[in-house]
Every structure is written in structure tokens, then in C-alpha cells.
Amino acid sequence: MKRSSSVIRRAVLAAAAVALAAGCTAQAAGSGSGGGAGGTTTPSAGTTAPPATPSSDDKPSATPTTEKPKPKVLMDDGDENEQVRELQARLRQIGYFDRAPTGFYGTMTAGSVKAFQKKRELPQTGSVDEVTWQRLLAMTHRPTADELKPSTTNKLDTPDPRCMTGRVLCISKESRTLAWMIDGKVVSSLDVRFGSENTPTREGEFKVEWKARNWTSTIYHTPMPYAMFFSRGQAVHYSADFAARGYNGGSHGCVNVRDKARLAVLFDQVKVGDKVVVHW
């Protein structure tokens, strides 16, 4: 009897030990609310939950960085072609290039392009990209043959108001140019020089009185080809001296032209009675 009670006592103690161990394990798993159906658990007060480890799907994806492509350069320093000549002619139309187009893109052309870009709030690169070129095209007209390869190295100035109507030889002492104009439009232009201080070219409004394809001065005995007389012996005519020496010399009052071929064409277009205006 004593032996059987001892066995029973050991069995009871073993069962209690198993129950106690199960209760500790459950507590460590964390059910402070007594554990309901489904076995959800809530951390007890004072217990710090371990930080959640983000999955690979939760990580922010890297955004690729791409640089904006630079505009394609159409014309730049050192280029020499007909498109550059057109560029210079168009810039000249709106006052950004003050000489005859050459077709060569040098420092002067780059400076003109920069000035144009600055005025339009474009990047001041000095080279012509598509944006610069399109902006210039929108502001100018297609250059004429004379604008692309003008006969004058001097820039034409603003025509005198008297030159804006009819057929006119509009001659400027300021720019030293002759512009052949019809109804306010320049048909062609030429470099010219004038008389010296002792024999000045008269200013004012005149008419072509008479013409002579081949003429020699009866006073100075010098050839005056393609002469168009407009004021008491003063005439527009070709001068070999002007062609050779440029502005280092002067006339005896006539309007000298140095481009013989272009003057020959002009001579055939001008009629007796056409207006002549000599002005500053």
C-alpha cells in the first residue's frame, strides 16, 4: 500500500511538471490575453517587438538618372559653306552682322550669334543649334542673291525719305553706298566714293539728265565709262582709280563706282529722268 501511494505521488508530480512546462512555453510565445481561438498573440507591456525586416519588394527602386541631350550644332567656328553665308545674310537683315557675308564662320560671326542669342534669352554658345536657327528663320526672309553676295562691302544705311517712291539712285555719303531702288525696295547696291574737299559732290535731289556708255572727261581727260550725269557735269561712273586705290583717293565731284560689271548692269536699267538723291 505504501509502495502504490508512492507511485501515484510520483505520477502526479510528473504531470504537474509537464503542465508547468507547457504554460511557460505558451507565455514565451506571447499570449498575454489568455489566448483565444486562432491563437493570435499581443506583446505584453514592457516587451519590445523586433523591428520588421522589409522584404525585397518593399525596398525603394533606384531611379535612373539621364542627362538631357545637348542640342545638335548646325554651324560653328571654323565652318565654311553656303549655309554660313545665309546665316550671315539673315543676321545682317536684322542688324547683327555689319559687313558683307563671307561664308566663313569666324569670331565675328560667333559674336553676332551670341548677341542674337542673348536678346532672345537663349544659351549664349556662339554656335548655331536648331533652336537658334529656327528663331532666326522666323524673323528674317530668304536672302536675295545680292544679299548673299552683295556688291558693297559697306552696309546700307536707312534710305532717305525721298528715295522711297519711284525709280531712284539713292546715294548715301554716310555709308558711302549707292542703292538702286524701285518703289522703296533695294534692287541692287554699289560701293561709291565722292569728291574731295575742294571739289565736293553736290547733295540734293536731281534727275538723270543724260547717259554715256563710253565718255572721257573734257576737263580732266580721264575715262568715265557708264556715266550717268545728274548735276552740271557731275555723274555716277566707273573709276579705275577707285578700283585700284579705294578710299585713299577721291573724285573731282563725281560719284565713283569700283565694280564695273555691276555698274554696267545698272547702266542698262536706269533711264533718263530717273531720280537721283545724294544725302548724308
Side-chain angles (χ1 to χ4, degrees), residues 84-118:
V84 173
R85 187 183 298 277
E86 181 182 350
L87 165 70
Q88 294 167 335
R90 287 180 181 273
L91 288 170
R92 192 179 190 193
Q93 289 174 12
I94 53 177
Y96 284 91
F97 196 73
D98 62 358
R99 59 189 58 206
T102 63
F104 178 75
Y105 202 119
T107 55
M108 294 192 64
T109 303
S112 298
V113 170
K114 277 187 178 180
F116 176 82
Q117 290 170 329
K118 181 178 180 180

Side-chain angles (χ1 to χ4, degrees), residues 200-217:
T201 302
R202 287 183 282 275
E203 300 157 23
E205 182 177 335
F206 312 94
K207 289 185 178 181
V208 177
E209 299 166 352
W210 58 286
K211 299 166 55 180
R213 190 175 298 274
N214 293 295
W215 184 258
T216 298
S217 171

Side-chain angles (χ1 to χ4, degrees), residues 61-267:
S61 59
T63 303
T65 57
T66 56
E67 293 185 1
K68 188 176 181 180
K70 294 182 179 179
K72 180 182 178 181
V73 174
L74 304 179
M75 288 169 274
D76 203 356
D77 191 22
D79 291 344
E80 186 171 9
N81 52 51
E82 289 307 303
Q83 189 179 23
V84 173
R85 187 183 298 277
E86 181 182 350
L87 165 70
Q88 294 167 335
R90 287 180 181 273
L91 288 170
R92 192 179 190 193
Q93 289 174 12
I94 53 177
Y96 284 91
F97 196 73
D98 62 358
R99 59 189 58 206
T102 63
F104 178 75
Y105 202 119
T107 55
M108 294 192 64
T109 303
S112 298
V113 170
K114 277 187 178 180
F116 176 82
Q117 290 170 329
K118 181 178 180 180
K119 181 69 175 179
R120 272 83 205 165
E121 297 182 348
L122 299 173
Q124 298 172 44
T125 61
S127 59
V128 179
D129 56 27
E130 187 66 31
V131 175
T132 301
W133 182 238
Q134 290 301 323
R135 189 71 63 87
L136 181 60
L137 291 180
M139 297 182 62
T140 55
H141 62 263
R142 182 182 294 278
T144 63
D146 192 64
E147 287 176 324
L148 290 171
K149 297 181 179 180
S151 53
T152 59
T153 57
N154 301 323
K155 182 182 178 182
L156 295 175
D157 61 3
T158 303
D160 186 281
R162 294 169 292 181
C163 299
M164 300 307 293
T165 57
R167 299 162 55 88
V168 191
L169 291 173
C170 191
I171 303 169
S172 170
K173 287 188 171 181
E174 177 71 23
S175 63
R176 298 188 291 190
T177 57
L178 180 155
W180 170 231
M181 301 181 64
I182 298 178
D183 295 330
K185 295 182 178 180
V186 176
V187 178
S188 61
S189 56
L190 300 163
D191 284 334
V192 294
R193 73 177 185 182
F194 304 97
S196 64
E197 184 177 348
N198 295 326
T199 54
T201 302
R202 287 183 282 275
E203 300 157 23
E205 182 177 335
F206 312 94
K207 289 185 178 181
V208 177
E209 299 166 352
W210 58 286
K211 299 166 55 180
R213 190 175 298 274
N214 293 295
W215 184 258
T216 298
S217 171
T218 57
I219 301 175
Y220 303 104
H221 309 291
T222 55
M224 298 170 57
Y226 303 107
M228 294 176 280
F229 291 88
F230 61 86
S231 175
R232 303 193 308 275
Q234 292 191 351
V236 174
H237 68 84
Y238 170 72
S239 168
D241 182 73
F242 184 25
R245 297 200 298 147
Y247 293 103
N248 292 325
S251 75
H252 293 98
C254 288
V255 178
N256 289 168
V257 178
R258 60 181 169 190
D259 192 323
K260 191 173 185 179
R262 285 183 177 268
L263 181 59
V265 174
L266 178 62
F267 182 87

